[in-house]
Structure formats: C-alpha cells, structure tokens
Amino acid sequence: MKKVLKFFASVILLATLATVIFGFFYLGELYSKVAPKAQKIIEYHPNLATKIYDRNGNLIATIYKENRDYVKYDEIPGRMIEALLAIEDTKFFEHRGINFDAIFRAAIKDIKAGKFVEGASTITQQLVKNMVLTRKKKLSRKFQEILIAMKVESALTKEQILERYFNQIYFGHRYYGIKSAAKGYFHKPLSKLTLKEIAMLVGLPRAPSYYDPTRNYQEALKRADRVINRMYELGWIDEKTFVQAIAEQPKVYKKTVYENRAPYIVDEIVRSYSSLLPHIKTAGYKIYTTVDLELQDIVKEELQRGYEEIMKRGVGYNYARLNGASVVVRPQSGEILAFVGGVDYQKSAFNRVTQAKRQPGSAFKPFIYQIALDMGYSQLSKIPDIAKTYTYYINGQKKIWKPKNYEKNFEGVVTLKEALVHSRNLATINLVEQLGLQNVIKRLQEYGFENLPHNLSLALGTVSLSPLKLAGFYTIFSNYGKKTEPILIRRVLDFQGNEIFAQETQSKKLEEPKQAFLMIDILRDVVNRGTGRKARVPGVEVAGKTGTTNNYMDAWFCGFTPDLEVVTWYGQDDNTPLKHSESGGKAAAPVVGRIIKRIYALWPQLRKNFTVPAGVYSLTIDGKRYYFTDISKPKPLDTTPQEKESEDLLF
C-alpha cells in the first residue's frame, strides 16, 4: 500500500513540475494574466491606518479601512521570524517559492483522505493567496499561486517577502499586520514581546477568529505551545527558554489601544479634510491636531453634567430630543482645544458644534453694540428702553410684532452699557433703529456674517450659526479686535514622515484693540453682575454673553478669559422649546464657568486678568467705572458736571 501511495505521490509531484514548466514556457497568455497580480505584491502599497494625535502627541484615534501599522524588516524581532518559520515554512530561506518536499507530504495525506486535507504552501505562497487570490482549494487557483510565487521570489529578496508577509497578513480582531496585532492584543511594541506572546501572534494567521486570544484564550495558548515546541525540536531555543515560554500565560487586552477617544473630533476631520487628504483612511497619515485630550474630557464631563441638571429641573417635561454642544478655543491662535458635538455620541453622531445651525439670540447683541461704539456711542450713551409695536406684511397678510424684554418690563432710558449687561431687548431694537438697519447689516457683513435678515429681528439674533462659527466671531472681542479663524489641525505627515500639510493661524484685524476692550469691559460686567453671573470663576476675570431664543428653544453662553474662549449651547434637536426659564444664563453659563475653572486649575499659567490697551481712559460714576476712547467718549449730557469734575482725565 505504501508503495502505491508513494507511486501516486511521485506522479503528482512530477505532474506539478511539468505543469509549472509548461506554464512558464508555453502558457504565455495565462502568465500575462497573473503577472499584474505578482506586480501588486512586488510593488507593495498596503492600506495603512491613519493616526490622529492631540497637541501633546497622545493618540486620539486610529482610522482605517484595514487597521495596519507598517513595520520594516529591520524592526521585526529575530525570534518572531524564527517562530513563523518554525510553524509555517522551515525551509523558507532554502526554496525559491515552492517547497516540493512539502507538496510531496501533502499529496500523500490528500490521497489517503480522498480529498484536499492539507496544503503545502510556503510563506511566499501564503502571501500570494492572501493578497491576490482566493482561499478556495482548486487546482486552477493552486497553479496561479505557484506561478505568482515563483515570479515574486525572482523579483524580491527573502527579507522583502517577510516584510510584506508580516505587514499584510490578518491577525484577527480587525488587526492587519504584526505591529497592529502586538499593540492591540498586548499593548506592547514588537521589541517588548515575550516569546510566548510572539508564538501566540504567529499562530493566529492559520485561523484568526478561532485562535483570537480575546475570545478563545486556551486554544490560543495551545497553538502558541505548538509553535514553541517546534522551535525547540529544531534546536532554535534551549530548554530553559522552552520551559519558561510554555509556562507563561500572557495578559491579553480586550480593550484596544485604538479606541476612539474623541469621536466628534475624528468625524469632523474625516468630513472636512477628506478632499485635502485623499485616501484619509488608507494612506497612513499622522494627523496632529490642536486638541488637548485632558481638556476634551473636561468639556465632555461638564456638558453631560449640564444636560443632567436640565433633565432634573425638567422632570415630567418632554426632553426626548434634548442635546448640547461645547467648544473651547484659544482666541489668539484660533486653536480648537476641545469640542464635544453632543451629550452621547452612541445615541447621536450628529456634530452640533460644526453642523447645527441655531439662532444665537441675545448672544448676538454684542456685535450690534460694538458697531454702536465704533459709530461714536459710548458706554454712557442713553438708549430708549421702551415698547413699540411693528406692523409688517407677509404675502399680503398683515402681521404685528410686539417685542418684549425678558423681564417683561422696560426702564424708559438706560445706558448702553446697562442695556447689554442686562440684555434689554427693547433697548437693542431701538439702538438698531438709531444706527440704521442697513448700516448695521453692512458692518456685520464686514465682520463676515452671512444670510442676515433684513429686518429689526436681527437685533435679537435671528441669524443661524453653528457654535464653532459663533466662537470664531467672538474672537473679535476676546482677541482684542482680531478675528481668528478656528483651526483643528496643525500639521499632517505622510507614512514616511514627510510634512504634507501645515496650518498657520489666520487672523484679520476688524477692530482697534481700544474699541474691542470697551466691549470686553461690558461683557465682563455681564458676568460680574448681569445675566451671566453663574459663569463667574473666583480669581479669574470672565467676560461673556448669554443667549436665549424665543420660547426657550436655545440656551447659549459665550464666555472668554484673556486666554480662553468657551461657547456652550443646549436645545432640542427638533426645535421644540426647553422648559420655561431654561435660559442661557441658567442652562449654559454654569457649564462654561465650570469648564473655565477646571482648565485654569490644570493650566495655571493662563492669564487671569484682561489688560487695558493704549488709548483707553476711564471715568468713575457712583462707584462704577466706565471706559471710553477718543472714538467712544461720553457726551456732555451723559454725565453731570460734578461727575466730570471728579475725573482728572482729559480728552
């Protein structure tokens, strides 16, 4: 019987050799079909995972089509190469792509079984099968595999083939390549792996799902032990190493190091930069953002806390679509330090920081008051705070608009400063009428605002903006007159380490620093004694403005210090109202205050007090300090003679 088996095996072996020779010399047409497949292996361009880092080099996330970190041959431990060869292809460095001895042994087993039961693939053939062929056990596929393997062996060195193998092969658990698998399963670089861990990894490609150590740990150990036994049989490890390796039970991590720590930020990068960075999930970029992960965690926690506070106050109220968003920016550089686009990414991946367009309400008022200051008004200018009724027509239908103050009262006449500190709607509408609606619109357009309503509702912030857009506009104040464009990415490297993109700070001067400071001072009083009192931070000067839209559909607070700016919004995604009294000062301001407080505790070097620029003078009246410039100075009727005499500053 053995003689018969050997005879048939010899026939198969000879037939295989004849087929290979025939394929090379006579089947040119078939070879031309497999040649491009061989070339794909020779000119190796694998899909590489892109990594996104925070400003401190901490990994935020890995995005990929195939989760692969490339490793060069010289970086692969020698023990790992030995382990692979021991279990898969002991004669790898001796053959030219095909191991005829292995084919002979496999043929005998196949004949005994009466079907294909064992392969005889070399590492080169496995690479071919994984990269360009199917796994089906057919003679036609095997023939192509042999042809391609021989072509690859003639074009590449053994080291190049191993480098491709270790980078290409799937190791289970969505890990492609040995480097990703080592980081994923063991949270280690290749250089720190033990022999047992190496054996577990090289044993995976045979059946990645079955030998996945996070799912079937004992079977993974058994497979690793077979690898170690084989190395010992070959004399590649000594007895002491063998015993230690067999006894070891490595710790395997189910939680991957590739976890996405800031999904809203990652989504925004993919959405906004895919055209700039083609193949963003396969090119192996290293993207360095402006984000700080510690700050990101703070914002996430405080946004969630604010959400829970609203829910608690609204027990029994329909808050099925309640959500929020918050963004932190450095005014001087425009760097986005953190942003969270919703209270729960798992429930909603919609990024409200960049994609939600909501009306800012009274948070828009500072821009109107800044225009007034630039047109010669001062903090002491008198503004009528009286009710008016407006009649207008839509499609021939008569409409009546009766705006009111939040407090449902009116003061008669208030100073410009007090009108904004206490967010008086009527005074703001009257101010726009005094300035001229078209004058206001023109200046707002110069600031960069678009799609503005051409009616007096503009005074109450009836323009749609995302939180990030509003944060950008608020840098006009927080950056002393320079509007700074928010930026999320600082630089990008390709997989070879070459810088292919860098983003610098972009700012445009729209106000003189002295004029912008007049608004900073007013917004500082909004926090100290106005509608934004709940954003106060002990020891830190905070300026900002609340925003609440009609029927409490939106609650905003835009706050800033000398070195930070925080914009927070709450509302319902379906535009239904929040519970009555959930204003910006109540819902959003405390969140901004807590975020600022925690960031200052983490970054104590941040400045705590606003500086007064050149060209700004002050006047004290009834214990309150007012600021003015040569453009925005009080008129004779704004102060009494006694008040003027008490001030020794001259124009």
Side-chain angles (χ1 to χ4, degrees):
M1 182 63 181
K2 289 183 178 179
K3 290 182 178 180
V4 174
L5 288 173
K6 287 184 178 181
F7 172 75
F8 279 111
S10 299
V11 171
I12 292 172
L13 180 59
L14 290 172
T16 301
L17 283 170
T19 303
V20 170
I21 295 170
F22 184 73
F24 265 111
F25 293 102
Y26 300 104
L27 299 181
E29 183 178 350
L30 178 60
Y31 185 75
S32 66
K33 291 181 180 179
V34 299
K37 295 180 179 179
Q39 204 63 27
K40 182 179 179 181
I41 299 173
I42 295 166
E43 297 177 2
Y44 186 50
H45 299 292
N47 291 331
L48 299 177
T50 288
K51 295 186 178 301
I52 301 173
Y53 299 93
D54 81 346
R55 64 191 296 110
N56 302 310
N58 299 310
L59 182 65
I60 294 176
T62 302
I63 56 175
Y64 52 83
K65 182 178 180 181
E66 295 175 347
N67 188 5
R68 178 183 290 106
D69 291 339
Y70 197 86
V71 59
K72 295 180 180 179
Y73 179 80
D74 292 341
E75 299 169 338
I76 302 170
R79 280 287 193 223
M80 181 164 283
I81 294 171
E82 291 174 351
L84 176 67
L85 300 190
I87 197 66
E88 294 292 347
D89 190 354
T90 307
K91 297 183 179 297
F92 174 73
F93 282 100
E94 300 173 24
H95 62 65
R96 298 304 301 166
I98 303 171
N99 187 338
F100 293 108
D101 290 342
I103 292 175
F104 182 81
R105 291 194 303 270
I108 293 175
K109 291 185 179 181
D110 290 343
I111 292 169
K112 284 182 177 181
K115 59 181 179 179
F116 289 113
V117 293
E118 181 171 318
S121 296
T122 63
I123 285 175
T124 309
Q125 288 174 275
Q126 291 179 38
L127 178 63
V128 169
K129 181 169 57 180
N130 273 273
M131 281 196 66
V132 296
L133 297 176
T134 68
R135 290 180 173 268
K136 293 181 179 179
K137 292 185 176 182
K138 291 184 177 181
L139 281 175
S140 59
R141 196 273 297 164
K142 197 68 177 179
F143 178 61
Q144 289 188 60
E145 181 184 299
I146 292 170
L147 284 177
I148 297 170
M150 295 181 71
K151 174 62 177 175
V152 168
E153 286 271 355
S154 68
L156 300 176
T157 65
K158 292 290 187 178
E159 291 78 10
Q160 289 173 323
I161 293 170
L162 283 173
E163 182 174 318
R164 283 157 173 75
Y165 179 93
F166 276 114
N167 282 290
Q168 180 65 29
I169 298 300
Y170 180 59
F171 287 86
H173 217 75
R174 295 189 294 181
Y175 302 139
Y176 287 83
I178 195 70
K179 189 174 181 179
S180 294
K183 285 184 181 179
Y185 289 123
F186 303 115
H187 291 192
K188 290 182 179 181
L190 294 176
S191 61
K192 299 296 183 181
L193 293 173
T194 67
L195 178 55
K196 188 62 164 281
E197 291 166 342
I198 287 173
M200 292 176 75
L201 290 175
V202 300
L204 277 165
R206 174 65 63 88
S209 296
Y210 182 71
Y211 292 121
D212 182 340
T214 66
R215 299 175 181 175
N216 203 344
Y217 185 72
Q218 292 304 319
E219 290 302 319
L221 289 179
K222 291 177 183 178
R223 172 70 172 161
D225 288 346
R226 287 196 289 274
V227 175
I228 296 166
N229 270 296
R230 179 62 176 156
M231 294 178 74
Y232 183 61
E233 290 171 2
L234 292 168
W236 293 356
I237 58 174
D238 59 28
E239 185 175 356
K240 181 181 178 181
T241 303
F242 168 75
V243 172
Q244 289 177 341
I246 291 294
E248 184 186 351
Q249 293 193 340
K251 182 178 181 179
V252 176
Y253 293 86
K254 291 185 178 180
K255 187 175 182 180
T256 173
V257 293
Y258 299 103
E259 180 183 4
N260 189 338
R261 297 181 62 184
Y264 286 111
I265 289 173
V266 172
D267 284 0
E268 182 61 23
I269 289 172
V270 173
R271 186 178 70 88
S272 299
Y273 289 89
S274 289
S275 58
L276 179 67
L277 301 171
H279 315 296
I280 193 168
K281 291 186 178 182
T282 60
Y285 299 123
K286 286 182 170 59
I287 300 174
Y288 293 90
T289 70
T290 59
V291 173
D292 186 291
L293 277 174
E294 285 189 291
L295 272 57
Q296 181 73 13
D297 290 341
I298 288 173
V299 174
K300 181 179 178 181
E301 291 167 8
E302 294 302 339
L303 186 70
Q304 177 67 30
R305 179 179 170 184
Y307 168 84
E308 291 170 357
E309 289 170 345
I310 297 173
M311 294 293 287
K312 185 177 180 180
R313 291 191 296 265
V315 173
Y317 197 77
N318 182 15
Y319 274 151
R321 302 302 302 277
L322 177 65
N323 226 302
S326 189
V327 56
V328 182
V329 176
R330 286 298 294 265
Q332 295 80 13
S333 64
E335 293 173 304
I336 299 172
L337 298 177
F339 77 66
V340 180
V343 295
D344 189 341
Y345 181 84
Q346 298 303 319
K347 292 182 179 179
S348 173
F350 180 68
N351 191 343
R352 293 155 192 83
V353 166
T354 59
Q355 294 176 287
K357 302 297 188 292
R358 307 289 294 216
Q359 292 186 2
S362 294
F364 187 76
K365 290 176 181 176
F367 301 99
I368 293 170
Y369 282 77
Q370 184 69 61
I371 293 169
L373 292 170
D374 294 344
M375 292 177 66
Y377 283 69
S378 77
Q379 293 185 351
L380 287 169
S381 294
K382 300 297 192 296
I383 309 296
D385 184 45
I386 56 176
K388 289 184 179 180
T389 299
Y390 299 89
T391 301
Y392 61 100
Y393 293 86
I394 297 180
N395 297 326
Q397 294 291 318
K398 183 179 179 181
K399 303 288 183 180
I400 296 177
W401 182 42
K402 294 182 177 181
K404 299 177 182 178
N405 285 324
Y406 176 80
E407 297 86 352
K408 303 296 191 296
N409 63 3
F410 53 89
E411 298 289 343
V413 175
V414 293
T415 65
L416 181 145
K417 184 173 189 176
E418 294 305 303
L420 186 53
V421 165
H422 298 288
S423 199
R424 309 294 291 182
N425 291 338
L426 297 177
T428 307
I429 294 169
N430 290 326
L431 177 62
V432 171
E433 284 194 296
Q434 290 181 358
L435 298 173
L437 178 61
Q438 294 308 313
N439 292 331
V440 171
I441 290 174
K442 180 181 178 182
R443 183 57 177 150
L444 289 172
Q445 289 172 337
E446 291 172 358
Y447 285 157
F449 288 103
E450 299 175 343
N451 302 317
L452 298 168
H454 285 245
N455 57 63
L456 289 174
S457 70
L458 176 65
L460 305 184
T462 55
V463 57
S464 296
L465 296 167
S466 70
L468 184 60
K469 276 287 187 183
L470 189 55
F473 282 115
Y474 256 75
T475 61
I476 296 172
F477 311 128
S478 57
N479 197 26
Y480 285 79
K482 287 184 178 180
K483 181 187 175 188
T484 310
E485 294 299 325
I487 57 175
L488 183 57
I489 292 177
R490 265 302 181 199
R491 64 192 185 112
V492 179
L493 307 182
D494 65 16
F495 79 98
Q496 294 178 321
N498 303 309
E499 185 173 273
I500 59 172
F501 173 74
Q503 193 165 16
E504 300 298 327
T505 297
Q506 296 181 347
S507 61
K508 181 180 181 181
K509 185 176 180 180
L510 294 172
E511 295 284 346
E512 292 295 329
K514 59 185 179 182
Q515 290 299 110
F517 177 78
L518 299 180
M519 183 53 59
I520 291 173
D521 175 60
I522 297 174
L523 298 181
R524 184 170 52 183
D525 267 11
V526 170
V527 175
N528 288 337
R529 58 186 180 84
T531 58
R533 292 186 299 276
K534 291 186 177 181
R536 287 180 291 190
V537 176
V540 180
E541 286 191 334
V542 180
K545 185 66 185 76
T546 54
T548 310
T549 56
N550 278 346
N551 299 319
Y552 299 92
M553 285 197 296
D554 302 274
W556 295 80
F557 190 75
C558 306
F560 59 91
T561 71
D563 283 329
L564 281 181
E565 184 182 304
V566 184
V567 173
T568 297
W569 164 87
Y570 286 102
Q572 302 228 67
D573 286 336
D574 58 1
N575 287 308
T576 54
L578 301 175
K579 186 178 180 181
H580 182 70
S581 81
E582 286 293 347
S583 64
K586 188 173 185 178
V591 174
V592 172
R594 291 195 296 262
I595 290 173
I596 291 173
K597 182 178 180 179
R598 291 181 64 180
I599 293 177
Y600 267 77
L602 197 63
W603 291 4
Q605 74 275 17
L606 295 176
R607 293 178 297 168
K608 298 177 176 62
N609 300 102
F610 294 104
T611 57
V612 181
V616 176
Y617 307 91
S618 65
L619 184 65
T620 301
I621 301 175
D622 295 332
K624 296 180 182 178
R625 174 163 290 188
Y626 297 86
Y627 291 89
F628 58 91
T629 66
D630 57 349
I631 297 172
S632 303
K633 52 190 176 183
K635 304 299 186 293
L637 294 180
D638 291 337
T639 60
T640 65
Q642 290 78 13
E643 290 166 344
K644 289 182 183 180
E645 290 172 1
S646 68
E647 188 66 38
D648 59 0
L649 297 172
L650 300 177
F651 293 99

PDB file of all heavy atoms in Angstrom, residues 572-587:
ATOM      1  N   GLN A 572     -33.209  71.459  21.970  1.00  0.00           N
ATOM      2  CA  GLN A 572     -33.763  70.195  21.492  1.00  0.00           C
ATOM      3  C   GLN A 572     -33.530  70.079  19.983  1.00  0.00           C
ATOM      4  O   GLN A 572     -33.720  71.044  19.238  1.00  0.00           O
ATOM      5  CB  GLN A 572     -35.258  70.107  21.819  1.00  0.00           C
ATOM      6  CG  GLN A 572     -35.554  70.228  23.315  1.00  0.00           C
ATOM      7  CD  GLN A 572     -36.503  69.159  23.798  1.00  0.00           C
ATOM      8  OE1 GLN A 572     -36.168  67.991  23.808  1.00  0.00           O
ATOM      9  NE2 GLN A 572     -37.693  69.577  24.213  1.00  0.00           N
ATOM     10  N   ASP A 573     -33.131  68.910  19.550  1.00  0.00           N
ATOM     11  CA  ASP A 573     -32.794  68.723  18.143  1.00  0.00           C
ATOM     12  C   ASP A 573     -33.966  68.970  17.206  1.00  0.00           C
ATOM     13  O   ASP A 573     -33.773  69.283  16.027  1.00  0.00           O
ATOM     14  CB  ASP A 573     -32.247  67.310  17.917  1.00  0.00           C
ATOM     15  CG  ASP A 573     -30.827  67.142  18.452  1.00  0.00           C
ATOM     16  OD1 ASP A 573     -30.124  68.166  18.571  1.00  0.00           O
ATOM     17  OD2 ASP A 573     -30.428  66.000  18.742  1.00  0.00           O
ATOM     18  N   ASP A 574     -35.178  68.815  17.713  1.00  0.00           N
ATOM     19  CA  ASP A 574     -36.350  69.032  16.863  1.00  0.00           C
ATOM     20  C   ASP A 574     -36.911  70.444  17.004  1.00  0.00           C
ATOM     21  O   ASP A 574     -38.017  70.733  16.542  1.00  0.00           O
ATOM     22  CB  ASP A 574     -37.435  68.003  17.174  1.00  0.00           C
ATOM     23  CG  ASP A 574     -37.866  68.039  18.637  1.00  0.00           C
ATOM     24  OD1 ASP A 574     -37.334  68.876  19.405  1.00  0.00           O
ATOM     25  OD2 ASP A 574     -38.736  67.233  19.015  1.00  0.00           O
ATOM     26  N   ASN A 575     -36.141  71.330  17.642  1.00  0.00           N
ATOM     27  CA  ASN A 575     -36.521  72.738  17.797  1.00  0.00           C
ATOM     28  C   ASN A 575     -37.760  72.953  18.655  1.00  0.00           C
ATOM     29  O   ASN A 575     -38.374  74.023  18.582  1.00  0.00           O
ATOM     30  CB  ASN A 575     -36.713  73.414  16.430  1.00  0.00           C
ATOM     31  CG  ASN A 575     -35.389  73.657  15.733  1.00  0.00           C
ATOM     32  OD1 ASN A 575     -34.467  74.242  16.304  1.00  0.00           O
ATOM     33  ND2 ASN A 575     -35.276  73.179  14.506  1.00  0.00           N
ATOM     34  N   THR A 576     -38.127  71.978  19.451  1.00  0.00           N
ATOM     35  CA  THR A 576     -39.195  72.215  20.426  1.00  0.00           C
ATOM     36  C   THR A 576     -38.598  72.952  21.613  1.00  0.00           C
ATOM     37  O   THR A 576     -37.397  72.870  21.887  1.00  0.00           O
ATOM     38  CB  THR A 576     -39.828  70.891  20.879  1.00  0.00           C
ATOM     39  OG1 THR A 576     -38.800  70.011  21.355  1.00  0.00           O
ATOM     40  CG2 THR A 576     -40.567  70.232  19.733  1.00  0.00           C
ATOM     41  N   PRO A 577     -39.409  73.703  22.367  1.00  0.00           N
ATOM     42  CA  PRO A 577     -38.874  74.555  23.442  1.00  0.00           C
ATOM     43  C   PRO A 577     -38.315  73.757  24.612  1.00  0.00           C
ATOM     44  O   PRO A 577     -38.708  72.622  24.874  1.00  0.00           O
ATOM     45  CB  PRO A 577     -40.101  75.367  23.884  1.00  0.00           C
ATOM     46  CG  PRO A 577     -41.092  75.244  22.782  1.00  0.00           C
ATOM     47  CD  PRO A 577     -40.851  73.911  22.159  1.00  0.00           C
ATOM     48  N   LEU A 578     -37.371  74.386  25.293  1.00  0.00           N
ATOM     49  CA  LEU A 578     -36.964  73.912  26.602  1.00  0.00           C
ATOM     50  C   LEU A 578     -38.016  74.344  27.612  1.00  0.00           C
ATOM     51  O   LEU A 578     -38.898  75.155  27.310  1.00  0.00           O
ATOM     52  CB  LEU A 578     -35.605  74.498  26.996  1.00  0.00           C
ATOM     53  CG  LEU A 578     -34.416  74.208  26.066  1.00  0.00           C
ATOM     54  CD1 LEU A 578     -33.179  74.961  26.546  1.00  0.00           C
ATOM     55  CD2 LEU A 578     -34.141  72.726  26.000  1.00  0.00           C
ATOM     56  N   LYS A 579     -37.906  73.807  28.803  1.00  0.00           N
ATOM     57  CA  LYS A 579     -38.844  74.203  29.845  1.00  0.00           C
ATOM     58  C   LYS A 579     -38.683  75.691  30.137  1.00  0.00           C
ATOM     59  O   LYS A 579     -37.586  76.240  30.075  1.00  0.00           O
ATOM     60  CB  LYS A 579     -38.591  73.387  31.114  1.00  0.00           C
ATOM     61  CG  LYS A 579     -39.614  73.626  32.207  1.00  0.00           C
ATOM     62  CD  LYS A 579     -39.320  72.753  33.417  1.00  0.00           C
ATOM     63  CE  LYS A 579     -40.354  73.003  34.516  1.00  0.00           C
ATOM     64  NZ  LYS A 579     -40.078  72.187  35.718  1.00  0.00           N
ATOM     65  N   HIS A 580     -39.781  76.339  30.458  1.00  0.00           N
ATOM     66  CA  HIS A 580     -39.764  77.773  30.759  1.00  0.00           C
ATOM     67  C   HIS A 580     -38.704  78.085  31.812  1.00  0.00           C
ATOM     68  O   HIS A 580     -38.574  77.370  32.798  1.00  0.00           O
ATOM     69  CB  HIS A 580     -41.141  78.221  31.261  1.00  0.00           C
ATOM     70  CG  HIS A 580     -41.216  79.688  31.556  1.00  0.00           C
ATOM     71  ND1 HIS A 580     -41.188  80.640  30.571  1.00  0.00           N
ATOM     72  CD2 HIS A 580     -41.281  80.366  32.745  1.00  0.00           C
ATOM     73  CE1 HIS A 580     -41.264  81.837  31.121  1.00  0.00           C
ATOM     74  NE2 HIS A 580     -41.316  81.696  32.447  1.00  0.00           N
ATOM     75  N   SER A 581     -37.955  79.126  31.569  1.00  0.00           N
ATOM     76  CA  SER A 581     -36.897  79.650  32.437  1.00  0.00           C
ATOM     77  C   SER A 581     -35.549  78.978  32.196  1.00  0.00           C
ATOM     78  O   SER A 581     -34.559  79.342  32.836  1.00  0.00           O
ATOM     79  CB  SER A 581     -37.242  79.551  33.925  1.00  0.00           C
ATOM     80  OG  SER A 581     -36.995  78.251  34.437  1.00  0.00           O
ATOM     81  N   GLU A 582     -35.463  78.013  31.264  1.00  0.00           N
ATOM     82  CA  GLU A 582     -34.156  77.440  30.931  1.00  0.00           C
ATOM     83  C   GLU A 582     -33.441  78.380  29.960  1.00  0.00           C
ATOM     84  O   GLU A 582     -33.283  78.114  28.780  1.00  0.00           O
ATOM     85  CB  GLU A 582     -34.304  76.041  30.327  1.00  0.00           C
ATOM     86  CG  GLU A 582     -34.670  74.958  31.305  1.00  0.00           C
ATOM     87  CD  GLU A 582     -33.571  74.675  32.324  1.00  0.00           C
ATOM     88  OE1 GLU A 582     -32.429  75.137  32.144  1.00  0.00           O
ATOM     89  OE2 GLU A 582     -33.866  73.986  33.322  1.00  0.00           O
ATOM     90  N   SER A 583     -32.983  79.484  30.516  1.00  0.00           N
ATOM     91  CA  SER A 583     -32.302  80.497  29.723  1.00  0.00           C
ATOM     92  C   SER A 583     -30.831  80.159  29.563  1.00  0.00           C
ATOM     93  O   SER A 583     -30.314  79.223  30.182  1.00  0.00           O
ATOM     94  CB  SER A 583     -32.436  81.859  30.415  1.00  0.00           C
ATOM     95  OG  SER A 583     -31.769  81.818  31.674  1.00  0.00           O
ATOM     96  N   GLY A 584     -30.145  80.955  28.757  1.00  0.00           N
ATOM     97  CA  GLY A 584     -28.714  80.756  28.611  1.00  0.00           C
ATOM     98  C   GLY A 584     -27.972  80.956  29.918  1.00  0.00           C
ATOM     99  O   GLY A 584     -27.004  80.254  30.212  1.00  0.00           O
ATOM    100  N   GLY A 585     -28.446  81.915  30.709  1.00  0.00           N
ATOM    101  CA  GLY A 585     -27.806  82.177  31.990  1.00  0.00           C
ATOM    102  C   GLY A 585     -27.984  81.052  32.984  1.00  0.00           C
ATOM    103  O   GLY A 585     -27.148  80.857  33.865  1.00  0.00           O
ATOM    104  N   LYS A 586     -29.041  80.290  32.848  1.00  0.00           N
ATOM    105  CA  LYS A 586     -29.324  79.203  33.783  1.00  0.00           C
ATOM    106  C   LYS A 586     -28.790  77.865  33.290  1.00  0.00           C
ATOM    107  O   LYS A 586     -28.241  77.076  34.079  1.00  0.00           O
ATOM    108  CB  LYS A 586     -30.841  79.094  33.993  1.00  0.00           C
ATOM    109  CG  LYS A 586     -31.249  78.129  35.091  1.00  0.00           C
ATOM    110  CD  LYS A 586     -32.749  78.213  35.329  1.00  0.00           C
ATOM    111  CE  LYS A 586     -33.191  77.340  36.502  1.00  0.00           C
ATOM    112  NZ  LYS A 586     -34.644  77.470  36.769  1.00  0.00           N
ATOM    113  N   ALA A 587     -28.938  77.585  32.010  1.00  0.00           N
ATOM    114  CA  ALA A 587     -28.567  76.273  31.482  1.00  0.00           C
ATOM    115  C   ALA A 587     -27.111  76.196  31.034  1.00  0.00           C
ATOM    116  O   ALA A 587     -26.419  75.213  31.317  1.00  0.00           O
ATOM    117  CB  ALA A 587     -29.487  75.911  30.311  1.00  0.00           C
TER     118      ALA A 587
END
